[in-house]
Amino acid sequence: MIDFNADISSLMLPNGRSVVGSLDSEDEVKRVLDLISDAYGFRGFTLLGIPERGCRSLAAQAQLTTWPSEFFRRYDDARLMDGSPVVQKLRRSTIPFTYDAHELARRRLDGKGDAAVSVFEEANIPRGVYLPVHDAAGNRGAIAFGGDRPVVSNDELQALNLWAGFLYCRWTEVRSRDRRGSGSLSRREIECLRWAAAGKTTVEMARIMALSEYTVNHYLNRATRKLDSVNRVQTVAKAMRAGLIN
């Protein structure tokens, strides 16, 4: 059982590894999610916003993720959001659940079952869990872990659900704090702007920084909001004038 009032350094993963750190940044939250994913035998995780009705892009909902960028591109290109049993369940339920791409394909009513299986299989995440989460302010989201390991046990599901709730609350706290201190850029935001100023594309930055394209875009978009800019070019220019990057 996770003590939500405990210092993060006292928490342990099932492989006996301790979680060390203050969890005072999005990078720290991502690091711990990576550790959990590895400890439970998954290939990666994604932290999602709950898509509103009419939303067509899963990629746009990915706030933090280590799932392959190609997965999101193919998912959106195939327009799999509308008929997704997972998305429908996340909209109406707060109960954690496991998923299997083959089983979910049989429940689709739009004839895109085979396409959905192919997208998940190609990304090596055909099975996993979705964990609906919320914070004290009522913000809702979901953390998913995917891979090709066997179906998780009930004990594992409950433990993952506790981790997910704990980390989502920390993540929203960090985001809220960053918005209040919008005049300051984080280390990752400055790093992304430096590479952008050097002419690197999002794909190149993701490769250099060992992040997903969506995480890079998240940092750049956040820097754009903080500097009250309208696009990436203006953000880089403002950061240079302010002496934040060379």
Side-chain angles (χ1 to χ4, degrees):
M1 181 70 68
I2 295 174
D3 178 0
F4 282 77
N5 295 313
D7 185 275
I8 189 67
S9 63
S10 68
L11 303 182
M12 301 290 291
L13 293 169
N15 57 7
R17 186 172 180 177
S18 64
V19 176
V20 179
S22 58
L23 273 179
D24 60 357
S25 70
E26 288 192 75
D27 284 348
E28 278 295 297
V29 173
K30 180 179 182 296
R31 181 184 67 84
V32 174
L33 284 166
D34 267 332
L35 289 173
I36 294 169
S37 178
D38 182 65
Y40 281 89
F42 293 108
R43 291 187 179 273
F45 76 88
T46 188
L47 188 157
L48 298 166
I50 302 297
E52 296 181 359
R53 296 190 186 281
C55 176
R56 298 290 184 272
S57 174
L58 185 64
Q61 303 303 315
Q63 307 296 316
L64 290 175
T65 186
T66 56
W67 285 7
S69 58
E70 183 67 7
F71 163 81
F72 291 98
R73 186 191 67 76
R74 292 189 62 202
Y75 188 99
D76 287 348
D77 285 352
R79 298 181 66 83
L80 295 174
M81 179 82 82
D82 283 343
S84 168
V86 165
V87 171
Q88 293 168 10
K89 192 167 186 176
L90 288 175
R91 285 173 178 155
R92 68 174 185 266
S93 175
T94 59
I95 299 172
F97 57 95
T98 61
Y99 79 85
D100 181 288
H102 293 271
E103 189 275 329
L104 288 172
R106 292 192 289 272
R107 291 165 51 193
R108 294 190 72 104
L109 303 177
D110 56 2
K112 295 183 178 180
D114 289 343
V117 168
S118 175
V119 169
F120 278 87
E121 288 280 7
E122 285 294 320
N124 291 317
I125 51 173
R127 290 181 298 279
V129 297
Y130 280 91
L131 309 156
V133 287
H134 66 275
D135 65 9
N139 298 305
R140 294 185 61 224
I143 294 177
F145 294 94
D148 56 3
R149 57 151 285 172
V151 176
V152 300
S153 67
N154 285 333
D155 286 345
E156 287 177 314
L157 184 62
Q158 293 307 310
L160 285 166
N161 194 43
L162 288 171
W163 275 112
F166 175 67
L167 291 169
Y168 183 74
C169 286
R170 285 294 181 94
W171 178 73
T172 57
E173 287 171 5
V174 168
R175 294 234 305 176
S176 218
R177 180 203 65 198
D178 287 348
R179 287 192 184 114
R180 290 194 300 270
S182 60
S184 60
L185 298 183
S186 71
R187 176 180 61 84
R188 281 297 202 186
E189 289 162 1
I190 291 173
E191 188 177 1
C192 287
L193 288 177
R194 282 175 177 158
W195 286 118
K200 299 298 183 183
T201 66
T202 300
V203 173
E204 290 170 331
M205 283 188 270
R207 188 178 303 115
I208 292 168
M209 299 168 66
L211 300 172
S212 74
E213 292 175 45
Y214 299 99
T215 301
V216 169
N217 280 324
H218 170 68
Y219 287 131
L220 290 169
N221 290 338
R222 194 169 63 180
T224 297
R225 290 194 300 271
K226 286 182 177 182
L227 294 179
D228 194 24
S229 303
V230 297
N231 55 42
R232 188 178 299 184
V233 173
Q234 187 182 29
T235 303
V236 169
K238 283 190 172 185
M240 293 178 73
R241 286 197 298 270
L244 298 172
I245 60 175
N246 297 322

